[in-house]
């Protein structure tokens, strides 16, 4: 198959929310990787999202680690902005992508502090808050769902990027307390708990990371924000985290 035709067919994969990774797609991907060519970022994004689905093809488990792509998936405004902001921020974003545990470990926080110290707390905070302001805005790459099974692919949060959002929330907590960080975490938590018909809350894990970050932030504003969220949130797992937040504020000190 001609290279241009193979890449044209692969480009169609890049407009899907996820794919079953059928034999023809696997052949196209294998052909490009064997030739030493990187896949388009939109195709990488689809394959990553598909791999994170509970219904993913076993073939994706082998290919996704081989993909050379941006640290974030393109197509969401906040992620596009973060990627466009330059190489300076790549180590911080890469570390944010390791936020896969229930809560940040001491080692994770030490690395985050080191990365922030190298840039400066003020610039890091300003940059992260600017990214978070764009979360939930319309996608920059409109998507369709292969087979039409998702309720609304363009309203979903990219699950790959959601891991980075968790890490960025934790990062705000390792910075010195600031009046702008606390409400930003509260807004992100509420946005993550917005319900999508046929899907449920957009990203409970992001909401949980925001609660954890607020619980690890010193000062009365963080405590007040936790209290405000406790009066509004009905999502049961997040409510449990909010109920436990006063105790976790004590034990995390």
């Amino acid at each position: 198959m001609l290279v241009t035709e193979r890449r044209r067919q692969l480009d169609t994969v890049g407009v899907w929310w996820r794919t079953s990774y059928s034999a023809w797609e696997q052949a196209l991907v294998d052909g490009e990787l064997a030739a030493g060519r990187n896949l388009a970022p939109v195709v990488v994004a689809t394959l990553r999202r598909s791999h994170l689905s509970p219904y993913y093809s076993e073939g994706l488990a082998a290919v996704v680690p081989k993909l050379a792509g941006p640290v974030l998936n393109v197509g969401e405004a906040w992620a596009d902005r973060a990627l466009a902001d330059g190489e300076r921020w790549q180590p911080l974003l890469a570390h944010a992508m390791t936020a896969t545990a229930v809560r940040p470990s001491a080692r994770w926080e030490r690395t985050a502090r080191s990365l922030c110290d190298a840039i400066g707390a003020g610039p890091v905070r300003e940059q992260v808050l600017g990214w978070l302001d764009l979360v939930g805005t319309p996608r920059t790459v409109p998507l369709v769902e292969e087979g039409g099974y998702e309720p609304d692919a363009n309203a979903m949060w990219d699950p790959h990027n959601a891991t980075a959002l968790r890490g960025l929330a934790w990062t705000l907590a390792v910075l010195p307390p600031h009046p702008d960080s606390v409400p930003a975490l509260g807004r992100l938590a509420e946005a993550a708990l917005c319900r999508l018909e046929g899907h449920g809350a957009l990203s409970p894990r992001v909401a949980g990371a925001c609660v954890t970050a607020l619980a690890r932030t010193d000062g009365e504003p963080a405590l007040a924000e936790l209290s405000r969220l406790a009066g509004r949130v009905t999502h049961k797992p997040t409510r449990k985290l909010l109920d436990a937040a006063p105790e976790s504020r004590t034990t995390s000190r």
Side-chain angles (χ1 to χ4, degrees), residues 175-218:
L175 299 174
H178 190 276
D180 292 339
S181 298
V182 166
L185 287 168
R187 288 193 299 271
L188 182 60
E190 289 192 278
L193 292 176
C194 287
R195 294 184 61 82
L196 182 63
E197 186 176 355
H199 174 74
L202 287 171
S203 186
R205 285 169 60 82
V206 170
C210 293
V211 172
T212 297
L214 287 168
R216 301 175 83 84
T217 300
D218 289 323

Side-chain angles (χ1 to χ4, degrees), residues 182 186 190 210-211 214-215 219-234 238-239 241-246 249:
V182 166
E190 289 192 278
C210 293
V211 172
L214 287 168
E220 287 301 314
L223 187 60
E225 186 64 22
L226 286 167
S227 178
R228 185 189 74 84
L229 289 172
R232 293 174 59 86
V233 169
T234 58
T238 308
R239 277 308 305 259
L241 290 174
L242 286 164
D243 292 343
R249 283 174 65 84

Side-chain angles (χ1 to χ4, degrees), residues 121-216:
V124 170
R125 183 185 299 107
E126 181 180 0
Q127 204 76 11
V128 171
L129 292 180
W131 298 336
L132 297 189
D133 278 344
L134 294 173
V135 174
T137 57
R139 285 188 58 86
T140 59
V141 179
L143 295 174
V144 296
E145 166 63 20
E146 184 192 26
Y149 300 118
E150 292 294 344
D152 184 353
N154 291 294
M156 304 276 277
W157 284 15
D158 191 302
H160 177 84
N161 291 347
T163 298
L165 287 175
R166 299 182 76 234
L168 293 174
W170 291 353
T171 298
L172 289 176
V174 306
L175 299 174
H178 190 276
D180 292 339
S181 298
V182 166
L185 287 168
R187 288 193 299 271
L188 182 60
E190 289 192 278
L193 292 176
C194 287
R195 294 184 61 82
L196 182 63
E197 186 176 355
H199 174 74
L202 287 171
S203 186
R205 285 169 60 82
V206 170
C210 293
V211 172
T212 297
L214 287 168
R216 301 175 83 84

Side-chain angles (χ1 to χ4, degrees), residues 1-13 16 21-39 43 47 63 67:
M1 178 184 297
L2 294 174
V3 172
T4 54
E5 176 62 16
R6 183 160 59 201
R7 295 189 72 86
R8 187 191 67 78
Q9 291 193 36
L10 272 175
D11 285 345
T12 66
V13 177
W16 295 340
Y21 200 55
S22 57
W24 72 268
E25 297 163 68
Q26 186 169 355
L28 294 174
V29 170
D30 288 347
E32 288 298 287
L33 296 181
R37 289 186 290 269
N38 294 333
L39 303 181
V43 178
L47 297 180
V63 74
L67 299 177

